[in-house]
Amino acid sequence: MWLTLLYSCTGGAALLYALYRWVIPTAVQYHGGLALIWHDVIVERMLDTLTQSTRPQRLLGAVQKNATRGDPRSVVQAIDQFCRQKEWAMNVGDEKGCILDSVVSEVNPATVLELGTYCGYSTVRIASLLPPHAKLITLEFNPDFAAIARQVIAWAGLEDKVHLIEGASGDWIPKMTEQFGVKTFDLVFLDHWKDRYLPDTMLMEECGLLRKGSILLADNVICPGTPDYLEYVRSSPRYESQYFKSHLEYTKVEDGLEKSVFLG
């Protein structure tokens, strides 16, 4: 009887582990809504409870364990490895990250604004490609995320190139010229709350922070999606837009980046 019970418990545990580790993650690879619920709600909360830590803290631990201090590319690789093999996280990711890299290299910006730092993954990708004396301002609403991002950026050796601000985008965008001496941005990377893409873009226009030729690059325009923003930049005569088809970070779900050139 006890042996049968032991076998049953062992078999049940093995089944649950298989479901958690392989079956469900594979099943949600092709469905955006399910992927976000599974990874960003269920798994994250479970691991937070079990480990008494947060996902950003675990991500930072992976960087400190596996990345070479002062080497931005190794920091990016350590985060990608963590997100593909250990735990999904809402970075721009390796696939879309290559598109981001190409746009940064093409623009060669002197002034960059990033809306949504999270743990600093895309900040590191951008800052590592900037020319000398370029200015990158990154804005994060969540102070806990900002604290982790500062350590990730410092581990990459890029703290001198990055100015990280904590607070709401709607509060800080009007202060950019006064506080940081920025007249216009060459490149803006939007990767924060999706319902803020459009109002923050219009706010940047009102504040005169976009010049003719300024580039807006927006992530997650398909999943979770930013339909109002897409309609605006694609229909407005003030922009020339191009969609770069890709996938939601670390999944097979369609997502992409929208690159919009401000025409004045």
Side-chain angles (χ1 to χ4, degrees):
M1 175 183 173
W2 290 109
L3 193 58
T4 301
L5 182 60
L6 177 62
Y7 285 151
S8 297
C9 292
T10 303
L15 177 60
L16 288 174
Y17 180 78
L19 285 170
Y20 163 75
R21 191 68 179 85
W22 295 296
V23 178
I24 296 177
T26 300
V28 303
Q29 276 282 305
Y30 298 89
H31 192 290
L34 292 178
L36 292 173
I37 291 172
W38 172 250
H39 291 296
D40 223 17
V41 179
I42 298 173
V43 172
E44 182 173 12
R45 290 179 181 176
M46 179 181 67
L47 290 177
D48 286 357
T49 300
L50 290 174
T51 65
Q52 291 299 293
S53 65
T54 66
R55 175 176 286 166
Q57 289 170 340
R58 296 188 290 275
L59 185 149
L60 173 63
V63 168
Q64 294 171 335
K65 179 180 179 181
N66 299 309
T68 302
R69 187 185 287 272
D71 182 353
R73 287 293 122 180
S74 76
V75 170
V76 169
Q77 290 168 4
I79 295 174
D80 284 331
Q81 183 179 37
F82 171 80
C83 293
R84 285 204 175 274
Q85 299 179 5
K86 300 291 186 181
E87 188 177 350
W88 184 92
M90 57 180 179
N91 311 302
V92 68
D94 46 6
E95 186 181 359
K96 288 184 294 182
C98 291
I99 300 172
L100 172 62
D101 291 351
S102 67
V103 172
V104 174
S105 298
E106 173 195 345
V107 176
N108 195 32
T111 52
V112 182
L113 174 62
E114 178 185 39
L115 299 176
T117 317
Y118 188 43
C119 295
Y121 174 90
S122 52
T123 313
V124 169
R125 292 196 82 122
I126 295 169
S128 67
L129 296 171
L130 293 180
H133 311 300
K135 180 179 294 186
L136 168 57
I137 298 172
T138 183
L139 181 60
E140 176 53 53
F141 179 77
N142 187 313
D144 295 329
F145 293 169
I148 296 296
R150 284 194 177 90
Q151 296 178 73
V152 170
I153 293 164
W155 197 272
L158 295 169
E159 62 267 43
D160 292 340
K161 278 192 171 185
V162 178
H163 194 131
L164 195 162
I165 311 167
E166 294 179 33
S169 54
D171 294 336
W172 275 104
I173 286 173
K175 301 177 183 177
M176 288 293 165
T177 300
E178 177 187 351
Q179 295 289 326
F180 306 105
V182 176
K183 293 183 178 179
T184 58
F185 287 102
D186 299 325
L187 175 65
V188 179
F189 182 51
L190 298 94
D191 195 20
H192 57 328
W193 294 108
K194 309 314 163 192
D195 60 0
R196 289 300 310 174
Y197 280 26
L198 180 54
D200 284 345
T201 294
M202 298 178 75
L203 184 58
M204 286 186 285
E205 293 174 5
E206 293 169 13
C207 294
L209 292 172
L210 303 179
R211 58 163 178 80
K212 184 177 181 179
S214 291
I215 305 293
L216 303 182
L217 187 65
D219 188 21
N220 300 126
V221 295
I222 303 300
C223 185
T226 56
D228 58 342
Y229 173 81
L230 283 184
E231 181 181 2
Y232 179 72
V233 295
R234 289 176 178 178
S235 62
S236 171
R238 306 189 75 181
Y239 291 93
E240 183 178 283
S241 274
Q242 180 182 4
Y243 173 62
F244 291 87
K245 183 178 179 179
S246 186
H247 297 93
L248 178 68
E249 40 268 33
Y250 315 110
T251 75
K252 301 297 184 183
V253 177
E254 182 183 343
D255 191 20
L257 297 164
E258 186 82 3
K259 175 187 174 186
S260 304
V261 182
F262 187 65
L263 303 178

